[in-house]
Structures are given as structure tokens and as C-alpha cells.
Amino acid sequence: MKCILVVDDDTDYLRLFRNFLVQEGFSVQCATSGEEALSILKDFSIDLMITDLNLPKMNGIELAKKASILLPFMPIILHSGSISPELPLMAEVVGISRVLAKPVNPGAMLDAIRNELRDI
């Protein structure tokens, strides 16, 4: 069973997202901050990380940069309610493989997850 780490400071969104992924057959770890996410990445076997851009103290770009050092081959998906024209390039530079607009369509997110996991 593939394990996904979902990082978002909105606990309601996190709970809904977690429940959706569990129903789709994934094991899920959740974090509400970049620091918590990095701790989980050190303690658990994570196959893919999904992170929000806007997090307290450490944004999703900074988190992805640090996560890519810990697990260089782990796919990372970034989602954000505010996608600027330069965000996809900034994301790619730090190892993020996909950027999705929030609110994320569940089907689109599931397709992105399956496509990313197929390659590992």
C-alpha cells in the first residue's frame, strides 16, 4: 500500500482529503506544518507528498526543497489557491513534479497521484 503525506494547515481540508485518499486505498499521514512534515518524512516510509503552498513559518516551496534533500526520488505535488505565472517554474526547480489549483478536483488529484506513483 502506497503512503501519501498530505500537508495543509486547514485541518478541515486535511481531514476531508485524508478520508478521500484512504477510501481510494492509500495509507495517509497528515501534517499541519512544514516542520511536522519533515519529522514524518524522517520517521515513515512516504511514497508521495502533497503540500499546500501557504503554510505557517515554512511555505510549500521551502518544504519541498528540504524534503527533496531527504528523499530525492519522492514525487511532490503542490496545490495552491493562488497560482502565479512563475509558480510552476519555482516549483520545478525545487523538485515539485506537479502544481494544481485549489480547490482541487478529487478526480484530477487522484489522476495526478496515480501518474506520479506509476513512475516509482
Side-chain angles (χ1 to χ4, degrees):
M1 181 181 299
K2 297 292 185 182
C3 187
I4 298 173
L5 171 59
V6 182
V7 188
D8 201 302
D9 60 332
D10 180 337
T11 55
D12 291 333
Y13 183 81
L14 200 59
R15 186 175 57 253
L16 286 171
F17 210 148
R18 180 191 177 286
N19 290 342
F20 168 72
L21 293 173
V22 167
Q23 287 178 349
E24 292 297 326
F26 297 102
S27 172
V28 180
Q29 292 289 323
C30 295
T32 57
S33 70
E35 294 85 357
E36 185 181 1
L38 290 172
S39 177
I40 289 170
L41 289 172
K42 290 175 186 173
D43 293 339
F44 293 89
S45 178
I46 303 295
D47 297 297
L48 179 139
M49 181 173 76
I50 300 167
T51 184
D52 189 20
L53 174 62
N54 296 314
L55 297 169
K57 297 182 185 175
M58 178 189 318
N59 70 31
I61 297 286
E62 294 167 308
L63 170 59
K65 188 175 184 178
K66 291 179 180 188
S68 291
I69 292 168
L70 289 173
L71 298 167
F73 300 107
M74 177 186 65
I76 302 171
I77 297 173
L78 177 78
H79 58 183
S80 176
S82 56
I83 296 182
S84 64
E86 59 275 349
L87 182 60
L89 180 58
M90 289 178 6
E92 185 179 344
V93 167
V94 298
I96 294 170
S97 50
R98 291 185 188 248
V99 177
L100 299 174
K102 225 177 170 184
V104 178
N105 172 296
M109 178 58 83
L110 193 56
D111 287 346
I113 290 168
R114 288 184 174 145
N115 284 335
E116 295 300 323
L117 291 175
R118 182 181 42 206
D119 295 336
I120 60 170

